[in-house]
Amino acid sequence: MYATNDSFARITDIVHDFLFIEINSTALQNKTFEYKIISQEEKLIRKGHFEGPMVQLRLSLMQEGKYTFQLYLNGEQ
C-alpha cells in the first residue's frame, strides 16, 4: 500500500480515490507540510498543506494518469 519515498515519510504508490501520507519521524509529526501534485505536462494540479502524522487526500475527481507528488517542509522539497 505504501512506497517509502523518504526516510521520514511513506506515500501511497497507487492511488484510486485517496492518497495516504504518513510521517514516520516523531520529531516531524507536528510540523506543517506543504504539497504539490504535478501532471506529466508539469502543470500544477493541486497544492495545499497538512499537519502530520497522517493525512489522506481525496483525489477521486482527478483524471486517471501519472502525477508527481512533491512534499515540502519549511520551503524545502
Side-chain angles (χ1 to χ4, degrees), residues 8-40:
F8 71 88
R10 295 187 320 159
I11 301 170
T12 311
D13 54 348
I14 297 175
V15 177
H16 296 285
D17 289 332
F18 293 96
L19 172 72
F20 295 92
I21 305 159
E22 181 178 11
I23 304 301
N24 295 327
S25 171
T26 55
L28 298 176
Q29 287 185 350
N30 293 320
K31 302 288 185 182
T32 299
F33 291 87
E34 297 176 27
Y35 69 88
K36 293 181 182 177
I37 299 175
I38 310 292
S39 71
Q40 282 186 301

PDB file of all heavy atoms in Angstrom, residues 8-40:
ATOM      1  N   PHE A   8      11.610   9.737   6.154  1.00  0.00           N
ATOM      2  CA  PHE A   8      10.671  10.289   7.127  1.00  0.00           C
ATOM      3  C   PHE A   8       9.213  10.199   6.703  1.00  0.00           C
ATOM      4  O   PHE A   8       8.318  10.492   7.492  1.00  0.00           O
ATOM      5  CB  PHE A   8      11.029  11.743   7.451  1.00  0.00           C
ATOM      6  CG  PHE A   8      10.755  12.708   6.333  1.00  0.00           C
ATOM      7  CD1 PHE A   8       9.522  13.310   6.214  1.00  0.00           C
ATOM      8  CD2 PHE A   8      11.733  13.022   5.411  1.00  0.00           C
ATOM      9  CE1 PHE A   8       9.260  14.192   5.191  1.00  0.00           C
ATOM     10  CE2 PHE A   8      11.481  13.903   4.397  1.00  0.00           C
ATOM     11  CZ  PHE A   8      10.249  14.490   4.274  1.00  0.00           C
ATOM     12  N   ALA A   9       8.918   9.761   5.463  1.00  0.00           N
ATOM     13  CA  ALA A   9       7.529   9.732   5.021  1.00  0.00           C
ATOM     14  C   ALA A   9       7.263   8.510   4.145  1.00  0.00           C
ATOM     15  O   ALA A   9       8.142   8.053   3.430  1.00  0.00           O
ATOM     16  CB  ALA A   9       7.191  10.996   4.239  1.00  0.00           C
ATOM     17  N   ARG A  10       6.021   8.024   4.237  1.00  0.00           N
ATOM     18  CA  ARG A  10       5.558   6.959   3.356  1.00  0.00           C
ATOM     19  C   ARG A  10       4.332   7.474   2.619  1.00  0.00           C
ATOM     20  O   ARG A  10       3.458   8.090   3.220  1.00  0.00           O
ATOM     21  CB  ARG A  10       5.209   5.703   4.147  1.00  0.00           C
ATOM     22  CG  ARG A  10       6.414   5.096   4.818  1.00  0.00           C
ATOM     23  CD  ARG A  10       6.160   3.769   5.478  1.00  0.00           C
ATOM     24  NE  ARG A  10       4.890   3.690   6.177  1.00  0.00           N
ATOM     25  CZ  ARG A  10       4.287   2.543   6.465  1.00  0.00           C
ATOM     26  NH1 ARG A  10       4.829   1.403   6.123  1.00  0.00           N
ATOM     27  NH2 ARG A  10       3.138   2.534   7.121  1.00  0.00           N
ATOM     28  N   ILE A  11       4.278   7.202   1.320  1.00  0.00           N
ATOM     29  CA  ILE A  11       3.209   7.718   0.475  1.00  0.00           C
ATOM     30  C   ILE A  11       2.637   6.573  -0.347  1.00  0.00           C
ATOM     31  O   ILE A  11       3.386   5.738  -0.860  1.00  0.00           O
ATOM     32  CB  ILE A  11       3.739   8.831  -0.448  1.00  0.00           C
ATOM     33  CG1 ILE A  11       4.327   9.967   0.395  1.00  0.00           C
ATOM     34  CG2 ILE A  11       2.646   9.354  -1.367  1.00  0.00           C
ATOM     35  CD1 ILE A  11       5.082  10.988  -0.390  1.00  0.00           C
ATOM     36  N   THR A  12       1.325   6.538  -0.499  1.00  0.00           N
ATOM     37  CA  THR A  12       0.664   5.520  -1.297  1.00  0.00           C
ATOM     38  C   THR A  12       1.280   5.482  -2.692  1.00  0.00           C
ATOM     39  O   THR A  12       1.418   6.517  -3.331  1.00  0.00           O
ATOM     40  CB  THR A  12      -0.832   5.850  -1.429  1.00  0.00           C
ATOM     41  OG1 THR A  12      -1.368   6.141  -0.147  1.00  0.00           O
ATOM     42  CG2 THR A  12      -1.595   4.715  -2.050  1.00  0.00           C
ATOM     43  N   ASP A  13       1.630   4.290  -3.178  1.00  0.00           N
ATOM     44  CA  ASP A  13       2.248   4.213  -4.500  1.00  0.00           C
ATOM     45  C   ASP A  13       1.228   4.152  -5.633  1.00  0.00           C
ATOM     46  O   ASP A  13       1.457   4.659  -6.713  1.00  0.00           O
ATOM     47  CB  ASP A  13       3.235   3.040  -4.596  1.00  0.00           C
ATOM     48  CG  ASP A  13       2.624   1.702  -4.212  1.00  0.00           C
ATOM     49  OD1 ASP A  13       1.520   1.684  -3.659  1.00  0.00           O
ATOM     50  OD2 ASP A  13       3.264   0.682  -4.479  1.00  0.00           O
ATOM     51  N   ILE A  14       0.069   3.554  -5.411  1.00  0.00           N
ATOM     52  CA  ILE A  14      -1.009   3.531  -6.400  1.00  0.00           C
ATOM     53  C   ILE A  14      -2.241   4.141  -5.745  1.00  0.00           C
ATOM     54  O   ILE A  14      -2.627   3.756  -4.646  1.00  0.00           O
ATOM     55  CB  ILE A  14      -1.308   2.096  -6.871  1.00  0.00           C
ATOM     56  CG1 ILE A  14      -0.079   1.521  -7.569  1.00  0.00           C
ATOM     57  CG2 ILE A  14      -2.514   2.083  -7.802  1.00  0.00           C
ATOM     58  CD1 ILE A  14      -0.218   0.079  -7.965  1.00  0.00           C
ATOM     59  N   VAL A  15      -2.853   5.100  -6.422  1.00  0.00           N
ATOM     60  CA  VAL A  15      -3.987   5.831  -5.853  1.00  0.00           C
ATOM     61  C   VAL A  15      -5.250   5.500  -6.629  1.00  0.00           C
ATOM     62  O   VAL A  15      -5.259   5.524  -7.853  1.00  0.00           O
ATOM     63  CB  VAL A  15      -3.723   7.350  -5.908  1.00  0.00           C
ATOM     64  CG1 VAL A  15      -4.921   8.126  -5.394  1.00  0.00           C
ATOM     65  CG2 VAL A  15      -2.476   7.708  -5.140  1.00  0.00           C
ATOM     66  N   HIS A  16      -6.316   5.194  -5.906  1.00  0.00           N
ATOM     67  CA  HIS A  16      -7.625   5.020  -6.534  1.00  0.00           C
ATOM     68  C   HIS A  16      -8.492   6.226  -6.188  1.00  0.00           C
ATOM     69  O   HIS A  16      -8.747   7.054  -7.039  1.00  0.00           O
ATOM     70  CB  HIS A  16      -8.267   3.704  -6.104  1.00  0.00           C
ATOM     71  CG  HIS A  16      -7.479   2.513  -6.571  1.00  0.00           C
ATOM     72  ND1 HIS A  16      -7.485   2.088  -7.873  1.00  0.00           N
ATOM     73  CD2 HIS A  16      -6.633   1.703  -5.911  1.00  0.00           C
ATOM     74  CE1 HIS A  16      -6.682   1.043  -8.005  1.00  0.00           C
ATOM     75  NE2 HIS A  16      -6.156   0.780  -6.820  1.00  0.00           N
ATOM     76  N   ASP A  17      -8.920   6.361  -4.966  1.00  0.00           N
ATOM     77  CA  ASP A  17      -9.703   7.518  -4.540  1.00  0.00           C
ATOM     78  C   ASP A  17      -8.946   8.404  -3.557  1.00  0.00           C
ATOM     79  O   ASP A  17      -9.194   9.599  -3.478  1.00  0.00           O
ATOM     80  CB  ASP A  17     -11.013   7.082  -3.890  1.00  0.00           C
ATOM     81  CG  ASP A  17     -11.993   6.505  -4.892  1.00  0.00           C
ATOM     82  OD1 ASP A  17     -11.935   6.897  -6.071  1.00  0.00           O
ATOM     83  OD2 ASP A  17     -12.814   5.657  -4.496  1.00  0.00           O
ATOM     84  N   PHE A  18      -8.041   7.811  -2.791  1.00  0.00           N
ATOM     85  CA  PHE A  18      -7.329   8.546  -1.750  1.00  0.00           C
ATOM     86  C   PHE A  18      -5.823   8.338  -1.862  1.00  0.00           C
ATOM     87  O   PHE A  18      -5.367   7.250  -2.198  1.00  0.00           O
ATOM     88  CB  PHE A  18      -7.766   8.081  -0.352  1.00  0.00           C
ATOM     89  CG  PHE A  18      -9.196   8.428  -0.038  1.00  0.00           C
ATOM     90  CD1 PHE A  18     -10.204   7.513  -0.236  1.00  0.00           C
ATOM     91  CD2 PHE A  18      -9.515   9.674   0.468  1.00  0.00           C
ATOM     92  CE1 PHE A  18     -11.523   7.813   0.048  1.00  0.00           C
ATOM     93  CE2 PHE A  18     -10.830   9.995   0.761  1.00  0.00           C
ATOM     94  CZ  PHE A  18     -11.839   9.068   0.557  1.00  0.00           C
ATOM     95  N   LEU A  19      -5.096   9.377  -1.541  1.00  0.00           N
ATOM     96  CA  LEU A  19      -3.637   9.317  -1.403  1.00  0.00           C
ATOM     97  C   LEU A  19      -3.354   9.426   0.088  1.00  0.00           C
ATOM     98  O   LEU A  19      -3.816  10.366   0.741  1.00  0.00           O
ATOM     99  CB  LEU A  19      -2.972  10.477  -2.145  1.00  0.00           C
ATOM    100  CG  LEU A  19      -1.483  10.662  -1.934  1.00  0.00           C
ATOM    101  CD1 LEU A  19      -0.709   9.560  -2.651  1.00  0.00           C
ATOM    102  CD2 LEU A  19      -1.028  12.012  -2.463  1.00  0.00           C
ATOM    103  N   PHE A  20      -2.649   8.453   0.642  1.00  0.00           N
ATOM    104  CA  PHE A  20      -2.319   8.451   2.061  1.00  0.00           C
ATOM    105  C   PHE A  20      -0.865   8.850   2.247  1.00  0.00           C
ATOM    106  O   PHE A  20       0.015   8.345   1.549  1.00  0.00           O
ATOM    107  CB  PHE A  20      -2.542   7.058   2.670  1.00  0.00           C
ATOM    108  CG  PHE A  20      -3.974   6.639   2.668  1.00  0.00           C
ATOM    109  CD1 PHE A  20      -4.500   5.909   1.615  1.00  0.00           C
ATOM    110  CD2 PHE A  20      -4.812   6.988   3.711  1.00  0.00           C
ATOM    111  CE1 PHE A  20      -5.825   5.517   1.604  1.00  0.00           C
ATOM    112  CE2 PHE A  20      -6.144   6.604   3.711  1.00  0.00           C
ATOM    113  CZ  PHE A  20      -6.652   5.873   2.653  1.00  0.00           C
ATOM    114  N   ILE A  21      -0.619   9.738   3.210  1.00  0.00           N
ATOM    115  CA  ILE A  21       0.737  10.175   3.534  1.00  0.00           C
ATOM    116  C   ILE A  21       0.920   9.972   5.031  1.00  0.00           C
ATOM    117  O   ILE A  21       0.090  10.419   5.830  1.00  0.00           O
ATOM    118  CB  ILE A  21       0.942  11.663   3.205  1.00  0.00           C
ATOM    119  CG1 ILE A  21       0.596  11.922   1.743  1.00  0.00           C
ATOM    120  CG2 ILE A  21       2.369  12.091   3.517  1.00  0.00           C
ATOM    121  CD1 ILE A  21       0.291  13.353   1.442  1.00  0.00           C
ATOM    122  N   GLU A  22       1.993   9.293   5.399  1.00  0.00           N
ATOM    123  CA  GLU A  22       2.299   9.052   6.814  1.00  0.00           C
ATOM    124  C   GLU A  22       3.707   9.561   7.100  1.00  0.00           C
ATOM    125  O   GLU A  22       4.665   9.173   6.430  1.00  0.00           O
ATOM    126  CB  GLU A  22       2.207   7.564   7.119  1.00  0.00           C
ATOM    127  CG  GLU A  22       2.490   7.250   8.569  1.00  0.00           C
ATOM    128  CD  GLU A  22       2.344   5.765   8.875  1.00  0.00           C
ATOM    129  OE1 GLU A  22       2.222   4.954   7.933  1.00  0.00           O
ATOM    130  OE2 GLU A  22       2.379   5.419  10.058  1.00  0.00           O
ATOM    131  N   ILE A  23       3.824  10.439   8.100  1.00  0.00           N
ATOM    132  CA  ILE A  23       5.115  10.956   8.531  1.00  0.00           C
ATOM    133  C   ILE A  23       5.650  10.010   9.593  1.00  0.00           C
ATOM    134  O   ILE A  23       5.042   9.833  10.644  1.00  0.00           O
ATOM    135  CB  ILE A  23       4.988  12.399   9.089  1.00  0.00           C
ATOM    136  CG1 ILE A  23       4.329  13.316   8.046  1.00  0.00           C
ATOM    137  CG2 ILE A  23       6.347  12.920   9.524  1.00  0.00           C
ATOM    138  CD1 ILE A  23       5.038  13.417   6.729  1.00  0.00           C
ATOM    139  N   ASN A  24       6.793   9.388   9.318  1.00  0.00           N
ATOM    140  CA  ASN A  24       7.362   8.382  10.214  1.00  0.00           C
ATOM    141  C   ASN A  24       8.158   8.976  11.361  1.00  0.00           C
ATOM    142  O   ASN A  24       8.236   8.397  12.428  1.00  0.00           O
ATOM    143  CB  ASN A  24       8.271   7.432   9.431  1.00  0.00           C
ATOM    144  CG  ASN A  24       7.503   6.623   8.419  1.00  0.00           C
ATOM    145  OD1 ASN A  24       6.356   6.277   8.631  1.00  0.00           O
ATOM    146  ND2 ASN A  24       8.133   6.338   7.310  1.00  0.00           N
ATOM    147  N   SER A  25       8.774  10.103  11.156  1.00  0.00           N
ATOM    148  CA  SER A  25       9.644  10.704  12.160  1.00  0.00           C
ATOM    149  C   SER A  25       8.816  11.397  13.241  1.00  0.00           C
ATOM    150  O   SER A  25       8.044  12.317  12.949  1.00  0.00           O
ATOM    151  CB  SER A  25      10.572  11.729  11.496  1.00  0.00           C
ATOM    152  OG  SER A  25      11.272  12.461  12.473  1.00  0.00           O
ATOM    153  N   THR A  26       8.977  10.971  14.489  1.00  0.00           N
ATOM    154  CA  THR A  26       8.224  11.607  15.582  1.00  0.00           C
ATOM    155  C   THR A  26       8.624  13.068  15.756  1.00  0.00           C
ATOM    156  O   THR A  26       7.815  13.882  16.183  1.00  0.00           O
ATOM    157  CB  THR A  26       8.428  10.851  16.910  1.00  0.00           C
ATOM    158  OG1 THR A  26       9.824  10.750  17.176  1.00  0.00           O
ATOM    159  CG2 THR A  26       7.809   9.469  16.849  1.00  0.00           C
ATOM    160  N   ALA A  27       9.844  13.423  15.400  1.00  0.00           N
ATOM    161  CA  ALA A  27      10.298  14.812  15.502  1.00  0.00           C
ATOM    162  C   ALA A  27       9.588  15.717  14.500  1.00  0.00           C
ATOM    163  O   ALA A  27       9.503  16.921  14.701  1.00  0.00           O
ATOM    164  CB  ALA A  27      11.807  14.887  15.293  1.00  0.00           C
ATOM    165  N   LEU A  28       9.041  15.141  13.421  1.00  0.00           N
ATOM    166  CA  LEU A  28       8.400  15.933  12.368  1.00  0.00           C
ATOM    167  C   LEU A  28       6.878  15.820  12.375  1.00  0.00           C
ATOM    168  O   LEU A  28       6.207  16.480  11.594  1.00  0.00           O
ATOM    169  CB  LEU A  28       8.921  15.490  10.997  1.00  0.00           C
ATOM    170  CG  LEU A  28      10.408  15.688  10.750  1.00  0.00           C
ATOM    171  CD1 LEU A  28      10.801  15.120   9.398  1.00  0.00           C
ATOM    172  CD2 LEU A  28      10.778  17.155  10.841  1.00  0.00           C
ATOM    173  N   GLN A  29       6.308  15.008  13.248  1.00  0.00           N
ATOM    174  CA  GLN A  29       4.877  14.729  13.187  1.00  0.00           C
ATOM    175  C   GLN A  29       3.985  15.932  13.446  1.00  0.00           C
ATOM    176  O   GLN A  29       2.862  15.962  12.994  1.00  0.00           O
ATOM    177  CB  GLN A  29       4.524  13.587  14.130  1.00  0.00           C
ATOM    178  CG  GLN A  29       4.990  12.268  13.596  1.00  0.00           C
ATOM    179  CD  GLN A  29       4.552  11.090  14.440  1.00  0.00           C
ATOM    180  OE1 GLN A  29       4.044  11.270  15.543  1.00  0.00           O
ATOM    181  NE2 GLN A  29       4.753   9.899  13.937  1.00  0.00           N
ATOM    182  N   ASN A  30       4.456  16.935  14.146  1.00  0.00           N
ATOM    183  CA  ASN A  30       3.621  18.112  14.415  1.00  0.00           C
ATOM    184  C   ASN A  30       4.004  19.305  13.551  1.00  0.00           C
ATOM    185  O   ASN A  30       3.543  20.416  13.790  1.00  0.00           O
ATOM    186  CB  ASN A  30       3.698  18.483  15.893  1.00  0.00           C
ATOM    187  CG  ASN A  30       3.064  17.413  16.760  1.00  0.00           C
ATOM    188  OD1 ASN A  30       2.031  16.857  16.406  1.00  0.00           O
ATOM    189  ND2 ASN A  30       3.687  17.098  17.870  1.00  0.00           N
ATOM    190  N   LYS A  31       4.818  19.078  12.551  1.00  0.00           N
ATOM    191  CA  LYS A  31       5.217  20.140  11.626  1.00  0.00           C
ATOM    192  C   LYS A  31       4.156  20.297  10.542  1.00  0.00           C
ATOM    193  O   LYS A  31       3.388  19.379  10.254  1.00  0.00           O
ATOM    194  CB  LYS A  31       6.561  19.813  10.961  1.00  0.00           C
ATOM    195  CG  LYS A  31       7.696  19.605  11.931  1.00  0.00           C
ATOM    196  CD  LYS A  31       8.108  20.903  12.553  1.00  0.00           C
ATOM    197  CE  LYS A  31       9.336  20.672  13.440  1.00  0.00           C
ATOM    198  NZ  LYS A  31       9.764  21.850  14.112  1.00  0.00           N
ATOM    199  N   THR A  32       4.126  21.471   9.930  1.00  0.00           N
ATOM    200  CA  THR A  32       3.217  21.720   8.818  1.00  0.00           C
ATOM    201  C   THR A  32       3.965  21.473   7.515  1.00  0.00           C
ATOM    202  O   THR A  32       5.007  22.061   7.271  1.00  0.00           O
ATOM    203  CB  THR A  32       2.676  23.158   8.855  1.00  0.00           C
ATOM    204  OG1 THR A  32       1.957  23.336  10.084  1.00  0.00           O
ATOM    205  CG2 THR A  32       1.740  23.415   7.688  1.00  0.00           C
ATOM    206  N   PHE A  33       3.415  20.576   6.705  1.00  0.00           N
ATOM    207  CA  PHE A  33       3.990  20.228   5.408  1.00  0.00           C
ATOM    208  C   PHE A  33       3.155  20.844   4.300  1.00  0.00           C
ATOM    209  O   PHE A  33       1.946  20.979   4.431  1.00  0.00           O
ATOM    210  CB  PHE A  33       4.002  18.705   5.219  1.00  0.00           C
ATOM    211  CG  PHE A  33       4.954  18.000   6.121  1.00  0.00           C
ATOM    212  CD1 PHE A  33       4.567  17.610   7.394  1.00  0.00           C
ATOM    213  CD2 PHE A  33       6.246  17.735   5.714  1.00  0.00           C
ATOM    214  CE1 PHE A  33       5.445  16.957   8.239  1.00  0.00           C
ATOM    215  CE2 PHE A  33       7.138  17.079   6.547  1.00  0.00           C
ATOM    216  CZ  PHE A  33       6.733  16.695   7.817  1.00  0.00           C
ATOM    217  N   GLU A  34       3.811  21.202   3.221  1.00  0.00           N
ATOM    218  CA  GLU A  34       3.133  21.652   2.021  1.00  0.00           C
ATOM    219  C   GLU A  34       3.298  20.572   0.965  1.00  0.00           C
ATOM    220  O   GLU A  34       4.258  19.817   1.003  1.00  0.00           O
ATOM    221  CB  GLU A  34       3.735  22.958   1.524  1.00  0.00           C
ATOM    222  CG  GLU A  34       3.575  24.103   2.497  1.00  0.00           C
ATOM    223  CD  GLU A  34       4.278  25.368   2.019  1.00  0.00           C
ATOM    224  OE1 GLU A  34       4.443  25.538   0.801  1.00  0.00           O
ATOM    225  OE2 GLU A  34       4.657  26.156   2.881  1.00  0.00           O
ATOM    226  N   TYR A  35       2.355  20.502   0.033  1.00  0.00           N
ATOM    227  CA  TYR A  35       2.471  19.523  -1.044  1.00  0.00           C
ATOM    228  C   TYR A  35       1.984  20.131  -2.350  1.00  0.00           C
ATOM    229  O   TYR A  35       1.216  21.100  -2.365  1.00  0.00           O
ATOM    230  CB  TYR A  35       1.673  18.250  -0.730  1.00  0.00           C
ATOM    231  CG  TYR A  35       0.174  18.450  -0.736  1.00  0.00           C
ATOM    232  CD1 TYR A  35      -0.554  18.322  -1.908  1.00  0.00           C
ATOM    233  CD2 TYR A  35      -0.505  18.776   0.425  1.00  0.00           C
ATOM    234  CE1 TYR A  35      -1.920  18.519  -1.923  1.00  0.00           C
ATOM    235  CE2 TYR A  35      -1.866  18.968   0.430  1.00  0.00           C
ATOM    236  CZ  TYR A  35      -2.572  18.836  -0.750  1.00  0.00           C
ATOM    237  OH  TYR A  35      -3.931  19.040  -0.760  1.00  0.00           O
ATOM    238  N   LYS A  36       2.462  19.542  -3.445  1.00  0.00           N
ATOM    239  CA  LYS A  36       2.011  19.891  -4.786  1.00  0.00           C
ATOM    240  C   LYS A  36       1.835  18.592  -5.560  1.00  0.00           C
ATOM    241  O   LYS A  36       2.619  17.662  -5.405  1.00  0.00           O
ATOM    242  CB  LYS A  36       3.031  20.760  -5.516  1.00  0.00           C
ATOM    243  CG  LYS A  36       3.198  22.134  -4.930  1.00  0.00           C
ATOM    244  CD  LYS A  36       4.213  22.939  -5.716  1.00  0.00           C
ATOM    245  CE  LYS A  36       4.415  24.299  -5.083  1.00  0.00           C
ATOM    246  NZ  LYS A  36       5.458  25.073  -5.800  1.00  0.00           N
ATOM    247  N   ILE A  37       0.812  18.552  -6.388  1.00  0.00           N
ATOM    248  CA  ILE A  37       0.604  17.442  -7.307  1.00  0.00           C
ATOM    249  C   ILE A  37       0.739  18.013  -8.712  1.00  0.00           C
ATOM    250  O   ILE A  37       0.015  18.952  -9.082  1.00  0.00           O
ATOM    251  CB  ILE A  37      -0.769  16.781  -7.100  1.00  0.00           C
ATOM    252  CG1 ILE A  37      -0.859  16.229  -5.667  1.00  0.00           C
ATOM    253  CG2 ILE A  37      -0.993  15.687  -8.139  1.00  0.00           C
ATOM    254  CD1 ILE A  37      -2.211  15.666  -5.297  1.00  0.00           C
ATOM    255  N   ILE A  38       1.673  17.451  -9.473  1.00  0.00           N
ATOM    256  CA  ILE A  38       2.035  17.970 -10.786  1.00  0.00           C
ATOM    257  C   ILE A  38       1.716  16.910 -11.847  1.00  0.00           C
ATOM    258  O   ILE A  38       2.024  15.729 -11.663  1.00  0.00           O
ATOM    259  CB  ILE A  38       3.550  18.303 -10.839  1.00  0.00           C
ATOM    260  CG1 ILE A  38       3.983  19.158  -9.643  1.00  0.00           C
ATOM    261  CG2 ILE A  38       3.934  18.936 -12.163  1.00  0.00           C
ATOM    262  CD1 ILE A  38       3.435  20.551  -9.629  1.00  0.00           C
ATOM    263  N   SER A  39       1.149  17.334 -12.977  1.00  0.00           N
ATOM    264  CA  SER A  39       0.848  16.400 -14.070  1.00  0.00           C
ATOM    265  C   SER A  39       2.118  16.084 -14.860  1.00  0.00           C
ATOM    266  O   SER A  39       3.158  16.724 -14.676  1.00  0.00           O
ATOM    267  CB  SER A  39      -0.199  17.008 -15.015  1.00  0.00           C
ATOM    268  OG  SER A  39       0.373  18.070 -15.755  1.00  0.00           O
ATOM    269  N   GLN A  40       2.013  15.114 -15.762  1.00  0.00           N
ATOM    270  CA  GLN A  40       3.152  14.766 -16.613  1.00  0.00           C
ATOM    271  C   GLN A  40       3.562  15.936 -17.494  1.00  0.00           C
ATOM    272  O   GLN A  40       4.712  16.036 -17.896  1.00  0.00           O
ATOM    273  CB  GLN A  40       2.820  13.559 -17.496  1.00  0.00           C
ATOM    274  CG  GLN A  40       2.886  12.245 -16.765  1.00  0.00           C
ATOM    275  CD  GLN A  40       2.686  11.087 -17.715  1.00  0.00           C
ATOM    276  OE1 GLN A  40       1.656  10.989 -18.377  1.00  0.00           O
ATOM    277  NE2 GLN A  40       3.672  10.207 -17.781  1.00  0.00           N
TER     278      GLN A  40
END
